[in-house]
Amino acid sequence: MKKILLTGGTGYIGSHIAVALAREGYSPVIADNFSRSDRRIAERIRELCGRAVPVYEADCRDINALRNLRDREGHLDGVIHLAAFKSVGESVRKPAAYFDNNIGSMSVLSAFIKESKIPHFVFSSSCTVYGSPEVREVTEETPFGKAFSPYGYTKQACERLTHDLVRAEPWLKVVSLRYFNPIGAHPSGRLGELPGGIPDNLLPYITQTAVGEREALTVFGEDYDTPDGSCVRDYVHVCDVAEAHVRALAYLADAEHSPEVFNIGTGKGHSVKEIIDIFSRVNGVPLKVIHGPRRPGDVDAIYANVDKATEVLDWKSTYTVEDALKHAWEWQKSLVNF
Ligand code: UD1
């Protein structure tokens, strides 16, 4: 069974990837420093995987912690790297912390991959690398834009490092997956997003408002050049995002080209107002909505062209936005018993 090191594996996306890997016959080994995740998720992962999944408390900036993991686990066949901070707004307030954590962990992990001769590497990137593109539907050929936030810059820098790494170590094969807006939760109701404190992202803010933890949801800006004036994004179910990692590992086993990048979205844009309306309709829950100014750093509209992932990885999204919004609500309601 191939062993895959999954950094940030108890986080929102990582936990869903662990389950997808186990289902496909991989053996996930999780490293997480639990700075943005909950230790109880490890048990949920084991429950859904139906077997033991090793979980190490390790910070990717600490090479000795990674070496300790390797000494105990033996050879690793691949790495999926998700351990990073991900809030655009927080990164503007704490730029040094983002550089240190996101770029620091990537560079130490790269040294670890090199010394351990781990042949396959999947990097968790983001559509944020496109900045504010001139087109709304972006392909992988769309150039990097000016980074709008320190968070965006760290994703660009890490992708750049993958190119330099492969040049220096041609035996290493790398894929970067540029996620658009992952939402939803595991259909079992056992895994989902656990934002600490006040959420930055739209979906947890919606579900916390619906459950009464927040008073009202603010729509950030209604004067964008979009059909209803609110921002447009490509919201993709987290289980589809997880499946893309399984496909990326399969691709790397026989990679023709490396490093390679893929957009991971649905190919469709939805506005903030549409998402609010669909959430209320499919779940039968009204939301108190107020209208606010634009949020600094937001681009008006961006969604993925996913032709490349479809052709090369044989991947495309299978869940609808309606499914994702239902699963997100089931997860939120289950948290009273968490
Ligand atoms: C950004 C990145 C995305 C990354 C994500 C990680 C871009 C274009 N996208 O997503 O790649 O994965 O951060 O956190 O850089 N909104 C409201 N009210 C709220 C919260 C959000 O109206 O209370 C709106 C925002 O203005 C935005 C949309 O909802 O238009 C989505 O926002 P959010 O969920 O924060 O994600 P992005 O900023 O699009």
Side-chain angles (χ1 to χ4, degrees):
M1 217 186 261
K2 285 192 171 172
K3 272 193 184 172
I4 306 297
L5 172 60
L6 183 54
T7 77
T10 61
Y12 172 43
I13 300 173
S15 55
H16 290 81
I17 295 174
V19 173
L21 288 176
R23 193 201 59 228
E24 286 300 312
Y26 291 98
S27 185
V29 176
I30 291 175
D32 206 308
N33 68 3
F34 299 106
S35 67
R36 299 281 160 108
S37 63
D38 192 300
R39 289 169 198 275
R40 289 171 291 178
I41 289 295
E43 254 337 290
R44 299 268 177 112
I45 292 171
R46 293 184 183 116
E47 172 196 315
L48 290 170
C49 291
R51 58 183 154 90
V53 174
V55 178
Y56 291 83
E57 179 158 2
D59 189 307
C60 293
R61 289 165 296 181
D62 177 357
I63 198 157
N64 288 326
L66 298 173
R67 286 175 178 148
N68 173 53
L69 177 156
R70 183 190 59 209
D71 291 346
R72 293 175 64 171
E73 293 295 329
H75 178 69
L76 297 162
D77 297 283
V79 175
I80 298 176
H81 178 43
L82 288 103
F85 292 155
K86 62 150 203 173
S87 163
V88 172
E90 183 188 49
S91 78
V92 175
R93 296 190 300 276
K94 300 179 186 168
Y98 272 68
F99 274 56
D100 178 37
N101 191 43
N102 293 8
I103 299 178
S105 65
M106 179 74 174
S107 45
V108 173
L109 186 66
S110 300
F112 174 71
I113 286 171
K114 179 180 170 186
E115 71 171 36
S116 310
K117 282 263 187 266
I118 304 173
H120 298 153
F121 182 22
V122 181
F123 173 63
S124 156
S125 189
S126 163
C127 70
T128 195
V129 298
Y130 297 114
S132 182
E134 283 175 11
V135 291
R136 291 175 168 198
E137 179 182 319
V138 292
T139 72
E140 292 80 355
E141 302 294 311
T142 305
F144 279 11
K146 179 178 180 308
F148 260 49
S149 65
Y151 162 75
Y153 181 80
T154 66
K155 291 294 176 190
Q156 292 181 340
C158 290
E159 276 203 28
R160 168 65 201 253
L161 180 52
T162 66
H163 285 265
D164 296 340
L165 267 179
V166 169
R167 195 177 306 132
E169 311 295 336
W171 51 268
L172 176 65
K173 307 280 184 225
V174 184
V175 159
S176 290
L177 298 179
R178 294 176 178 163
Y179 318 149
F180 280 65
N181 289 60
I183 61 165
H186 199 270
S188 66
R190 303 295 287 162
L191 295 176
E193 190 165 8
L194 282 172
I198 300 173
D200 282 310
N201 293 120
L202 180 62
L203 244 294
Y205 214 105
I206 288 180
T207 58
Q208 290 190 7
T209 306
V211 88
E213 271 178 44
R214 311 270 156 225
E215 208 172 302
L217 171 76
T218 307
V219 175
F220 296 141
E222 291 184 301
D223 57 351
Y224 287 100
D225 181 18
T226 58
D228 66 19
S230 65
C231 291
V232 170
R233 296 285 184 275
D234 186 334
Y235 296 93
V236 53
H237 196 292
V238 66
C239 288
D240 284 326
V241 174
E243 178 61 26
H245 295 75
V246 174
R247 303 293 168 102
L249 286 174
Y251 171 80
L252 286 171
D254 205 11
E256 281 172 18
H257 185 253
S258 162
E260 195 51 281
V261 296
F262 297 98
N263 284 341
I264 301 300
T266 64
K268 289 188 211 89
H270 282 93
S271 73
V272 174
K273 288 183 180 174
E274 281 174 335
I275 293 291
I276 294 169
D277 289 346
I278 299 169
F279 180 87
S280 294
R281 176 169 53 76
V282 298
N283 294 312
V285 193
L287 281 173
K288 186 171 177 208
V289 176
I290 54 179
H291 305 291
R294 292 180 174 202
R295 183 174 70 173
D298 273 339
V299 303
D300 58 355
I302 184 166
Y303 53 93
N305 177 302
V306 287
D307 291 350
K308 187 173 170 189
T310 308
E311 280 159 30
V312 181
L313 298 182
D314 190 25
W315 174 90
K316 64 177 174 206
S317 60
T318 56
Y319 290 96
T320 62
V321 159
E322 284 81 358
D323 297 329
L325 295 175
K326 277 188 207 159
H327 294 155
W329 180 228
E330 291 306 317
W331 168 248
Q332 179 67 58
K333 286 188 292 182
S334 79
L335 290 179
V336 284
N337 301 315
F338 187 65

